[in-house]
Amino acid sequence: MAHHNEVFIGIDTSKLRNAVAIAEAGRNGKVRYLGEIDTSEAATKKLVASLASKYRKLTFCYEAGPTGYGLQRLVESLGHSCIVAAPSLIPKKAGDRIKTNRRDAEGLARLLRAGELTAVWVPDARHEAMRELARARDAARQDLTRKRQQVSSMLLRMGLHYPGIKTWGARHRSWLANLKLEHAEQRFVLEELLVAERQAGERVCRLEQAIRDALGNWSLRDIVPALMAMRGIDMISAVTILTEIGDLTRFANPRQLMAYLGLVPSERSTGDAVRRGPITKAGNGRARRVLVEAAWAYRHPARVGFEKQAAVAAAPRPAREIAWKAQVRLCKRFRSLTRKGKKSTVVAIAIARELAAFIWAIAQEVEAAPAGTS
């Protein structure tokens, strides 16, 4: 059989079976549904080999989702291009109310042929493993917060209030251990909650240590200490930002990074009317949350605290200079916007947007610097 020029393959992925459709090149190229195949590696290789025997060029695509990037890596290893499309940016007809695996696969094939799909950045397997580790730590930290909130809620119901200021320190734990409760059932519940809180805290510590141990052979390890020179960013925050965003140098300018993180204002303008609203909140929510949390540190005057001095000293010189420039500017801007009557939450978002630009600049400096320089 003679080879045709090119074909575009849309795959609607699921847990056990993948729906496959193809769109032949050209404006009037046929779109055909090939059916469903197993998600196994053997079935995918068989599909690719069958299509490669009929067409000279194959281009695959599927939506980013819970099935991960294994399919993309497999197709790429077989010598063909595969795009993982951003689901939120896939064009959809407003009146379309029918959704099936077949229609989704055919729609992906058509959109791929038309060049209407936006590809997400695909990490390598090692980077994805680091991302899983960072997300596991984040989930463990949230679980620890819930466990502590359960203890606080129980004590509030019983009218018990800790007289100190800082909770969950040595004094607070001693106070909890020596509480005199009226009923044995209450003491039993409190002990169970405290055991769960302690186990959750130990899990967080184990995961954080695993992150430290894994940094040594990670491709982005050199950027971590550089980002730690920034105020409000520690090791965990730096790792979270890098694992979620990936290679920062893939953004041509800071504005692209801001837009990727959803930190730019939304807009619905028409004619002469310009209407801008809240931030878009597009892109990665975890990285955006970390940046907003770090932004609150800039409400205080610019300085390098005692605990931060070691992290600043360990960073490369260009990163230290950018970090101090960022601190001077952002601290001043936080107070300036607050004096103008802006809400503190709105100010924090504005600071986080500029903070992303300084982080981008640090990544550019670290990547451009020769190995071994400081």
Side-chain angles (χ1 to χ4, degrees):
M1 179 182 294
H3 281 62
H4 298 284
N5 287 331
E6 186 176 7
V7 70
F8 301 88
I9 302 98
I11 303 177
D12 184 59
T13 59
S14 63
K15 180 179 179 180
L16 299 177
R17 298 185 67 80
N18 294 334
V20 182
I22 64 172
E24 295 179 352
R27 186 170 184 176
N28 298 320
K30 294 181 179 179
V31 178
R32 293 186 289 120
Y33 179 63
L34 300 185
E36 295 186 348
I37 64 170
D38 293 337
T39 57
S40 64
E41 181 177 329
T44 303
K45 288 183 176 180
K46 182 178 179 181
L47 170 68
V48 173
S50 175
L51 293 173
S53 65
K54 301 176 183 177
Y55 301 94
R56 294 184 182 278
K57 183 178 180 181
L58 308 180
T59 306
F60 293 78
C61 73
Y62 66 96
E63 289 186 41
T67 55
Y69 304 109
L71 177 59
Q72 191 270 352
R73 296 192 187 104
L74 176 58
V75 173
E76 294 276 352
S77 68
L78 297 175
H80 303 285
S81 176
C82 183
I83 293 175
V84 183
S88 60
L89 299 179
I90 295 178
K92 291 181 174 62
K93 295 180 180 179
D96 193 354
R97 295 293 184 270
I98 300 177
K99 183 183 186 305
T100 64
N101 294 343
R102 175 173 181 166
R103 288 170 67 93
D104 287 348
E106 292 176 349
L108 285 172
R110 288 192 182 94
L111 291 171
L112 178 62
R113 182 178 63 183
E116 295 293 329
L117 295 179
T118 302
V120 302
W121 179 74
V122 178
D124 57 35
R126 180 72 177 85
H127 187 100
E128 190 174 13
M130 281 294 296
R131 179 184 290 178
E132 294 288 351
L133 187 58
R135 289 181 177 180
R137 184 267 172 194
D138 185 55
R141 183 66 193 181
Q142 293 178 19
D143 183 53
L144 175 61
T145 301
R146 286 192 294 267
K147 296 290 191 297
R148 290 178 173 178
Q149 182 61 41
Q150 289 172 0
V151 174
S152 300
S153 299
M154 179 183 177
L155 296 178
L156 182 62
R157 290 193 299 269
M158 295 187 294
L160 298 173
H161 308 283
Y162 176 57
I165 299 176
K166 185 178 179 181
T167 57
W168 299 108
R171 291 184 178 180
H172 182 230
R173 293 182 185 276
S174 176
W175 178 80
L176 290 172
N178 296 319
L179 278 177
K180 304 298 182 182
L181 302 182
E182 182 178 358
H183 302 286
E185 293 82 359
Q186 292 174 330
R187 185 75 239 179
F188 178 80
V189 173
L190 180 60
E191 291 293 341
E192 286 294 316
L193 291 176
L194 291 176
V195 169
E197 186 274 337
R198 184 170 62 254
Q199 292 175 345
E202 292 171 352
R203 184 163 62 252
V204 171
C205 292
R206 289 194 301 270
L207 288 167
E208 289 181 352
Q209 185 58 46
I211 292 174
R212 294 188 187 94
D213 296 339
L215 282 178
N217 57 351
W218 186 32
S219 59
L220 301 179
R221 62 184 179 275
D222 294 335
I223 307 180
V224 173
L227 293 187
M228 289 173 62
M230 296 287 294
R231 190 175 195 173
I233 297 180
D234 58 4
M235 186 269 293
I236 296 300
S237 299
V239 170
T240 301
I241 291 170
L242 292 174
T243 54
E244 295 298 335
I245 301 177
D247 183 13
L248 292 170
T249 59
R250 63 194 172 95
F251 298 99
N253 54 65
R255 292 184 297 275
Q256 291 184 3
L257 177 58
M258 296 173 189
Y260 173 80
L261 293 170
L263 289 171
V264 296
S266 57
E267 184 173 351
R268 293 184 65 87
S269 300
T270 178
D272 296 332
V274 178
R275 298 184 181 90
R276 292 189 176 91
I279 59 173
T280 62
K281 292 186 178 180
N284 193 285
R286 289 184 178 89
R288 181 172 61 251
R289 173 175 54 81
V290 171
L291 286 176
V292 174
E293 290 176 354
W296 286 100
Y298 293 89
R299 66 187 185 275
H300 305 295
R303 68 183 184 89
V304 179
F306 177 76
E307 296 180 353
K308 190 68 174 178
Q309 290 177 4
V312 173
R317 182 176 179 179
R320 295 197 300 265
E321 294 174 350
I322 295 174
W324 179 248
K325 180 180 178 181
Q327 189 169 166
V328 172
R329 172 179 170 79
L330 297 184
C331 290
K332 180 180 179 181
R333 183 160 174 76
F334 202 113
R335 295 195 300 273
S336 175
L337 292 175
T338 302
R339 285 195 299 267
K340 291 179 180 179
K342 299 290 185 180
K343 293 183 178 179
S344 59
T345 52
V346 175
V347 175
I349 295 295
I351 298 302
R353 180 166 55 248
E354 293 197 26
L355 184 61
F358 285 106
I359 287 175
W360 177 88
I362 287 179
Q364 295 287 332
E365 289 290 341
V366 173
E367 290 293 330
T373 59
S374 61

